[in-house]
Amino acid sequence: MEFRSVARPASSLLATAARQSQQRLALLTPLTTTRGHKTTARTKRGLKIAPHDSFLPDRSAPFPAADSIIYNPPASEASPEHTPFLFLPSSDPRRAAVDRMRKTTGISSGTGQPSGPLPPAMRYPRRADEPKYHLSKEQVQEMRRLRNEDPLTWSVTALARKFDCSQVFVQIAAPAPASHKAWLEEQQRKREARWGTKKKAAREDRKRRAELMYRGEL
């Protein structure tokens, strides 16, 4: 009887400690959601969608057409079977065919120039139809004086607007002074110093492509 009275408080203490430890573990364990068997099966059945007919291979044709590589080259690719007109021999029937085609389109085979009337020439608004030679020597000297005194205020555009001439003529007749060109180069160097690696790489790639294009390698 005495042992039972002593064991009961000890067992209650152990049970209380076990419950408290379980509560602490529940607080420390992260909350994770688990999917039951009902929702898992329903989701798998919903994802089992048959592919469209266009994605399936064509099994109607006999082998090997049903399982073969489709070769479809681009239309811009040059054909090795095409020979330029200049290299065709005089006895080649393709030369006569090209002559007939050029006659029907109005282009002579000898010079390659159209025999009919040409379309009207395109007129660009940035180009003058007739050049103007209205500036005197004194006006050109005045243009140079303004350009040397204050190249920022009297820029190429401002001088072309003032003297009613083209910007190309201003650049030829009144070039910027050396100090102004050095200042512009310094400003350009400061801007390039703030560029990132991507912009520097893009600018170098642009210069490389331009050099390849000028050499005819691009």
Side-chain angles (χ1 to χ4, degrees):
M1 195 68 184
E2 296 178 358
F3 177 75
R4 291 181 180 178
S5 61
V6 174
R8 285 177 181 175
S11 61
S12 62
L13 290 174
L14 292 175
T16 306
R19 284 195 299 270
Q20 292 178 357
S21 62
Q22 290 179 358
Q23 292 177 359
R24 293 194 190 96
L25 290 175
L27 293 175
L28 296 176
T29 305
L31 297 177
T32 56
T33 58
T34 57
R35 179 172 291 178
H37 67 282
K38 297 181 180 180
T39 56
T40 303
R42 186 170 63 250
T43 306
K44 286 186 176 180
R45 286 196 301 269
L47 293 176
K48 287 183 179 179
I49 302 173
H52 195 264
D53 297 338
S54 60
F55 291 94
L56 298 176
D58 186 11
R59 302 298 181 183
S60 59
F63 185 82
D67 190 12
S68 59
I69 299 175
I70 300 175
Y71 177 68
N72 187 15
S76 60
E77 184 179 1
S79 174
E81 300 177 356
H82 174 71
T83 305
F85 182 80
L86 184 63
F87 298 99
L88 290 176
S90 57
S91 59
D92 197 310
R94 289 177 292 179
R95 179 179 286 272
V98 173
D99 288 336
R100 288 194 302 269
M101 182 183 64
R102 289 179 174 179
K103 288 179 181 179
T104 55
T105 55
I107 300 177
S108 60
S109 59
T111 59
Q113 299 294 331
S115 57
L118 293 174
M122 298 181 65
R123 295 181 178 273
Y124 295 93
R126 63 178 181 273
R127 298 179 181 176
D129 297 336
E130 295 181 0
K132 299 178 181 179
Y133 303 98
H134 60 285
L135 295 180
S136 61
K137 187 176 180 180
E138 291 76 12
Q139 290 176 333
V140 173
Q141 292 178 355
E142 177 68 14
M143 183 188 302
R144 292 175 180 173
R145 185 185 64 82
L146 295 175
R147 183 67 170 162
N148 291 327
E149 287 181 357
D150 193 355
L152 291 177
T153 303
W154 295 105
S155 60
V156 175
T157 307
L159 290 175
R161 191 182 300 111
K162 175 179 176 59
F163 292 96
D164 192 16
C165 60
S166 64
Q167 298 182 9
V168 178
F169 180 79
V170 175
Q171 293 175 355
I172 295 174
S179 59
H180 182 65
K181 292 181 179 179
W183 179 79
L184 291 177
E185 292 178 358
E186 182 65 23
Q187 296 297 320
Q188 181 64 22
R189 282 195 295 269
K190 290 181 180 179
R191 284 192 296 268
E192 293 179 359
R194 294 192 299 268
W195 289 355
T197 55
K198 292 185 177 180
K199 190 168 184 178
K200 290 180 180 178
R203 189 58 60 93
E204 294 295 332
D205 193 15
R206 183 191 299 179
K207 292 180 180 179
R208 183 179 60 83
R209 290 198 307 268
E211 293 176 358
L212 291 176
M213 184 180 63
Y214 292 149
R215 292 199 300 264
E217 299 178 3
L218 187 61

